Each structure stands twice: as structure tokens, then as C-alpha cells.
Amino acid sequence: MTYVKPEDVVENMLQAGAKKANLPVKQLLMRGFLAGAFLGYATTLAILAATQTGWGIAGALVFPVGFVMIVLLGLELATGNFALIPIAVKDRRAPFSRLLINWTWVLIGNLIGSVTYAYLYCVVATKMGVIEPETIPALQRTIAIAETKTLEYAKLGFDGTITAFTSAILCNWMVTLGAVMAFTSNTTGGKIAAMWLPIMTFFGLGYEHAIVNMFVIPAGILLGADITIADWWLWNGLPVIAGNLFGGMLFTGFMLYWSYGKTSHQD
């Protein structure tokens, strides 16, 4: 039987959260680096698909390849850990201190991997700066996305910050659901199909994902977008991380834990 019932899915979430919480810092950094780079690959593929076809939904259809690689290889993505580790702490399977260690070092690893891929991608795409980014549609689109994710929010001031935060909540509700849906099957094919659905949904709707943005905004800056590092973190980075954390932890982690965890059946 390949389908896994929700009660068993939550138990698997708790076990995964506890295991992730207790990984050494070296592993968190390496696995976080790879996860950030793989999401960068997926984002460039999605932008290329959308540019070539003229259909934004084409990007959403192919983007989940990066997430599939991350989950099947057991890598560390901070946004997924926002849902899994808090419930492991609540269930007394991991100490709170390990939650802080995991989130901190995985975010750093994700950032280094994403920015490294962004730099290498720009080296190849512009032939070491020989080709003007404006002449290549996919690079034009990358610049436009990066500016939209920062400068458009900046124009709105506090309303822009709230919008980015809320978009990030909606994003990570789906992204963490992707990580959880992988637990609903015992077969590789089943895991891929199940996690594809919510990941395609979030990307197609254009919600804000902190790690995707750790690639696309630096790539935009490297390609000549009119964005500063301060613009990135003030108008996107910090509010989006906060929204991703809140959305993943509450709407996926705790809501499923409260619904199907062992303690929910004791009353």
C-alpha cells in the first residue's frame, strides 16, 4: 500500500523535524547550500520556460523540479523547516535551542548557495559580461522580477511591507504543504506527484518565497537592476522570511499537528 494516512504523515513530520533539528552545523550548511543552488536552477528554468512560451504558467509547471531534488535528497530548506521543527519542539522531540541553530545555519547555507548559483548563472548568461542583459529576454525578465519584488513594495511603504509579508504567508503555506505531501506516499513516483501540486500552485500565483528571492534578487542586481542590498532586505528579505515562518509554522505545521497528532485524540 503506497498511500500514507494523515495520522502517519504527522508522525513522519515529527520524526523528520527531530532529525533535522539534531543535525550538526556542517551538515546544515552543506545541505542548505545545495538546496539554495537547486532552487536557483529551478527558478532560471521556470523563467526560461515562461519567456520562451509567453505563458507564465509554463514556469510554474517546471519549477517544482528543484523542490523534488531537495526533498528526495534530504537537503535542508529553511522554509520547509519552519513547519517541521516547531512541532517537534512542541512534542518534546527536540529542544528549542536546536530549532534556532537549524533555522540560522540553514538560512545562511541557503543564502550562500543561492547567491553562488546567481553569480555563476550570470557569468554564463552574459558571457562574462560581454553580452548586455537587455538583449536576452530571460535576463530582462529576471531584472524585471527582481525590481518588482523590491521597488514596487518600496513605493507602497508600510503597505508594501504588509503585502510582502502576507504574500509570504500564502507562499509557505503551500511550500511546506509540498514537503508534507511527500510523506503521503511510500513510492518515489507518488512522492514526486504529491509534492508537485502545492509547489506548482505557489509559483504560479507569484507568492513570495525567501529562498527563491535569494537567487532572483541578487541575480537581478548582478545583471544591472536598480536595486541596492538594503532594498532587497528591507522591502523583501526580512518581511518575506517572517511571513514564510508564520505561514509554514501555523497553517501547515501546527494545524496538521493539532488535527492528526496523537494528542488531538486524547480529548
Side-chain angles (χ1 to χ4, degrees), residues 6 11 15 24 34 43 53 57-58 77 90 96 102 124 150 169 214 218-219 223-224 229 253 257-258 264 267:
E11 177 58 28
Q15 291 178 13
L34 292 172
T43 305
T53 62
I57 196 67
L77 192 64
K90 176 69 170 65
F96 183 72
N102 179 283
V124 174
T150 51
I169 290 174
M214 286 177 183
L223 293 169
I229 300 296
Y257 176 72
W258 291 329
S264 68
D267 297 332

Side-chain angles (χ1 to χ4, degrees), residues 48-59:
L48 181 65
T51 304
Q52 287 179 337
T53 62
W55 291 81
I57 196 67

Side-chain angles (χ1 to χ4, degrees), residues 8-257:
D8 296 323
V9 167
V10 170
E11 177 58 28
N12 289 335
M13 289 169 64
L14 289 165
Q15 291 178 13
K19 183 178 179 182
K20 287 174 174 292
N22 290 302
L23 287 171
V25 170
K26 180 181 177 182
Q27 290 296 329
L28 298 177
L29 274 172
M30 288 195 299
R31 297 183 191 188
F33 174 91
L34 292 172
F38 290 172
L39 276 197
Y41 268 102
T43 305
T44 47
L45 178 65
I47 291 172
L48 181 65
T51 304
Q52 287 179 337
T53 62
W55 291 81
I57 196 67
L61 288 170
V62 300
F63 174 77
V65 298
F67 195 81
V68 166
M69 291 188 284
I70 289 167
V71 172
L72 293 184
L73 288 174
L75 301 178
E76 293 294 309
L77 192 64
T79 46
N81 292 357
F82 289 160
L84 298 178
I85 299 180
I87 61 171
V89 172
K90 176 69 170 65
D91 212 56
R92 298 181 180 176
R93 303 194 189 195
F96 183 72
S97 61
R98 293 302 307 182
L99 174 148
L100 296 177
I101 290 168
N102 179 283
W103 286 0
T104 300
W105 289 105
V106 171
L107 274 170
I108 291 171
N110 290 162
L111 176 62
I112 296 170
S114 299
V115 173
T116 298
Y117 176 76
Y119 176 76
L120 297 175
Y121 170 74
C122 291
V123 165
V124 174
T126 65
K127 306 292 191 290
M128 286 292 291
V130 174
I131 297 174
E132 288 296 321
E134 291 79 10
T135 63
I136 301 174
L139 301 188
Q140 279 183 296
R141 196 179 187 105
T142 302
I143 293 169
I145 291 170
E147 290 180 342
T148 299
K149 287 178 174 290
T150 51
L151 303 182
E152 291 303 312
Y153 291 137
K155 289 178 185 176
L156 298 173
F158 183 68
D159 289 345
T161 300
I162 296 301
T163 302
F165 174 78
T166 306
S167 178
I169 290 174
L170 296 175
C171 163
N172 214 32
W173 192 348
M174 286 293 103
V175 172
T176 49
L177 196 60
V180 169
M181 291 290 279
F183 293 125
T184 64
S185 175
N186 287 322
T187 68
T188 302
K191 288 178 181 292
I192 292 172
M195 72 177 95
W196 204 279
L197 306 175
I199 302 304
M200 179 181 68
T201 300
F202 112 77
F203 198 87
L205 292 171
Y207 294 138
E208 296 288 352
H209 188 271
I211 317 305
V212 168
N213 295 346
M214 286 177 183
F215 159 76
V216 77
I217 296 176
I221 292 171
L222 290 168
L223 293 169
D226 187 25
I227 305 168
T228 64
I229 300 296
D231 290 332
W232 168 18
W233 286 100
L234 179 61
W235 299 110
N236 188 289
L238 295 177
V240 169
I241 289 173
N244 284 168
L245 194 163
F246 182 82
M249 181 171 66
L250 177 61
F251 291 120
T252 295
F254 276 110
M255 285 216 172
L256 290 176
Y257 176 72

